[in-house]
Amino acid sequence: MSNKKLYSMKLIFCVPALLAISACSSLGVEPWERDVLAKDEMQLVTDPIEAATDDHIYFSKEASSGGRGFGGGGCGCN
Amino acid sequence: MAVADSVVAVVAVINQKEGNPVIKKKPKSVSKALATATCALLGTTAMPVQAQEEPAWEFNTALLYYGEDDDRVQDVSIALLARRLFADDKILTLGLTVDSLTGATPVGAAPLDVVQTITRPSGNSTYDVAPDTLPLDDTFLDTRYAFNASWQQPLGRLYNGNVGISFSKEYDYVHSGVNAGISRDFNKKNTTVSLGFALSKDDIEPIGGTPMALTPMLDVGDLSNRLGNETKDVVDLLFGVTQVISRNLLVQVNYSYSDSSGYLSDPFKILSVVDPITGDTLPRVPTPGVDGPSHQFLFEGRPDERVKHSLYTQAKYYMSGKVLDISYRYMTDDWDIDSYTVDARLKFPIGNSSYIEPHVRFYTQTEANFYRATLSAGEPLPMFASADYRLGNFDALTAGAKYGWKTGSGHDISFRLEYYMQDGDVPSGQLIGNQLQRDMYPGLNAIIFNFSYGFGL
């Protein structure tokens, strides 16, 4: 990979990351305020099998996949 | 200070439960006491904890039924997910899924007012399609075994890393893949930035070989336009930010990039070659004494590269016991497919141990730039063409609910029932003559039923 391309790649990933971090620094809670966030039902994926099943169904019936995680494939159904 | 007093009291209770002296050490500061107590309560390792959790296994099992109407695809699937929790927040995850698929699936050919005979994908025999009926291949039969494993662990105080492998096998398709990711916490763990990649290599090995793109379907036994096996490579990159907004609100935003290259066509899909005036599929006469297609069909051909970009955002909001989970995804690719997905779930607690969770999902996509309902005999052959309805213009709706409860021994049980429907249309400029009176786009209605059972050991 050329230096210029590498620099562009770094910019693509680092600039949004830095912007997000600085924009988010004023948000959030203190460690002792995490009682609700620690609940099972507040996890981003509460049922991994159901999430995987749904991703598999929609991957095989629609032209889109991924988003929440990788949408690579691994099935001859599409 | 009342808060500090109560925290010291909590620390004291915890120490008492562990059989230690009531207060081993006087906390050096209120903030340290607060953090220690919070981490002890949450079981996290943000601060040094006094006791490590014992290694434990968690199992999630599920039985899925997916059934389309009109005797189309039926899938019965069994899934097992095992998680081994080690000390220091290290997690091993193993997943195994077995799918059993049967039923019929649209082949891409257009309906016609006479019987159509079509050669099966294997090239070994033919089947007939009744007049005014959407051509379906009823030899759709497969069993798929999928296995995946991943390892996740903290890397220092702020980083978390994971690596994984995936493998699946069907009769005519093999997938193998690797993935890895790293995340870093910022702002008192209120912000998490993650980066991941996945590589997959798939082998496509259809019986009779993969057909050459846009070549005619031939008589039974004639495999002269078939190639050997093909491969497909997929590279996925994912960049995500998870942000705690408030005590009750969590938001995630992901950008993902996916590059597929190699054989991206479906070896079982065909297109009808039609009369440019009537829109009827042109007849064909098989070689005397040999079975073969009664009409002219071409095997589909898609580009050998596809780049997709997705923007996904999800929010979880806690409202006095109820949890709203809402997500939105925009996807665009260089096949000119744009799609939008909105998914919403609301979990209502019922009593202390059960819940009901209604779910609705709306999806819409535009057609690929090479989507063609049929090919007209009067026009030059395009470079790429597919009549696969999944590359067409359609909307989809999922609606249903899940009901679950926790047993007295702490096991989780749930049932989910959902209805999935697709409704699309062929771009009006593509319909010719008699096609305007025919149902050229296969809709889809399906039932999804899940039973899941989770327990720990």
Side-chain angles (χ1 to χ4, degrees), chain B residues 228-447:
Chain B
N229 299 334
E230 295 279 358
T231 61
K232 175 170 91 172
D233 297 310
V234 183
V235 178
D236 282 305
L237 298 173
L238 191 139
F239 172 73
V241 177
T242 306
Q243 175 65 41
V244 173
I245 305 292
S246 70
R247 192 167 161 257
N248 298 330
L249 179 60
L250 179 67
V251 173
Q252 182 182 47
V253 179
N254 286 345
Y255 161 75
S256 53
Y257 168 92
S258 178
D259 183 330
S260 308
S261 57
Y263 185 79
L264 305 182
S265 299
D266 186 328
F268 311 125
K269 300 289 189 223
I270 57 175
L271 297 103
S272 299
V273 180
V274 302
D275 183 287
I277 307 298
T278 64
D280 290 342
T281 310
L282 293 174
R284 172 189 182 276
V285 180
T287 307
V290 181
D291 281 344
S294 60
H295 293 80
Q296 295 186 24
F297 306 110
L298 299 186
F299 291 106
E300 71 155 41
R302 306 183 190 185
D304 58 7
E305 178 101 19
R306 182 182 183 194
V307 175
K308 297 189 286 186
H309 303 269
S310 299
L311 194 65
Y312 171 85
T313 182
Q314 181 184 4
K316 299 219 55 158
Y317 185 49
Y318 187 85
M319 302 174 291
S320 51
K322 298 184 279 293
V323 178
L324 176 67
D325 181 339
I326 190 158
S327 69
Y328 169 82
R329 177 185 62 183
Y330 167 65
M331 191 221 72
T332 185
D333 71 3
D334 59 355
W335 290 359
D336 288 349
I337 297 173
D338 288 340
S339 79
Y340 305 86
T341 313
V342 177
D343 188 294
R345 297 158 203 262
L346 185 57
K347 188 171 185 175
F348 292 92
I350 302 174
N352 287 330
S353 57
S354 61
Y355 65 89
I356 189 158
E357 185 179 64
H359 172 217
V360 63
R361 175 185 184 271
F362 177 72
Y363 174 83
T364 183
Q365 73 173 48
T366 59
E367 74 271 13
N369 53 21
F370 54 88
Y371 173 80
R372 299 287 299 268
T374 57
L375 290 172
S376 176
E379 291 176 17
L381 206 57
M383 187 173 285
F384 308 110
S386 172
D388 188 340
Y389 70 98
R390 297 170 301 182
L391 298 178
N393 173 40
F394 69 85
D395 301 331
L397 178 72
T398 308
K402 179 159 92 167
Y403 175 71
W405 70 94
K406 201 176 267 297
T407 65
S409 47
H411 298 181
D412 291 304
I413 298 177
S414 70
F415 292 92
R416 180 170 67 125
L417 184 63
E418 295 190 334
Y419 178 70
Y420 176 61
M421 60 163 292
Q422 280 184 6
D423 187 24
D425 50 45
V426 174
S428 55
Q430 290 193 17
L431 294 173
I432 308 167
N434 297 329
Q435 294 176 5
L436 289 160
Q437 280 82 51
R438 295 183 185 137
D439 188 9
M440 296 290 288
Y441 197 93
L444 173 65
N445 298 289
I447 293 287

Side-chain angles (χ1 to χ4, degrees), chain A residues 24 29-32 34-35 41 43-44 50 54 58 60-66 72 74 76-77, chain B residues 38 68 144 168 170 188-190 243 247 306 308 316 329 339 345 363 390 398 402 416 420 422:
Chain A
C24 295
V29 297
E30 295 299 332
W32 56 89
R34 288 184 168 266
D35 53 337
E41 57 265 39
Q43 305 314 301
L44 288 166
E50 184 180 305
D54 284 0
Y58 298 128
S60 62
K61 296 292 155 189
E62 298 170 351
S64 309
S65 62
C77 49
Chain B
T38 308
E68 298 176 359
R144 175 175 179 266
S168 73
E170 293 160 65
K188 299 177 191 168
K189 298 202 169 191
N190 285 305
Q243 175 65 41
R247 192 167 161 257
R306 182 182 183 194
K308 297 189 286 186
K316 299 219 55 158
R329 177 185 62 183
S339 79
R345 297 158 203 262
Y363 174 83
R390 297 170 301 182
T398 308
K402 179 159 92 167
R416 180 170 67 125
Y420 176 61
Q422 280 184 6

Side-chain angles (χ1 to χ4, degrees), chain B residues 17 46 82 129 222 224 236 350 409 426 455:
Chain B
K17 280 177 80 175
V129 177
D222 186 348
S224 57
D236 282 305
I350 302 174
S409 47
V426 174
F455 59 98

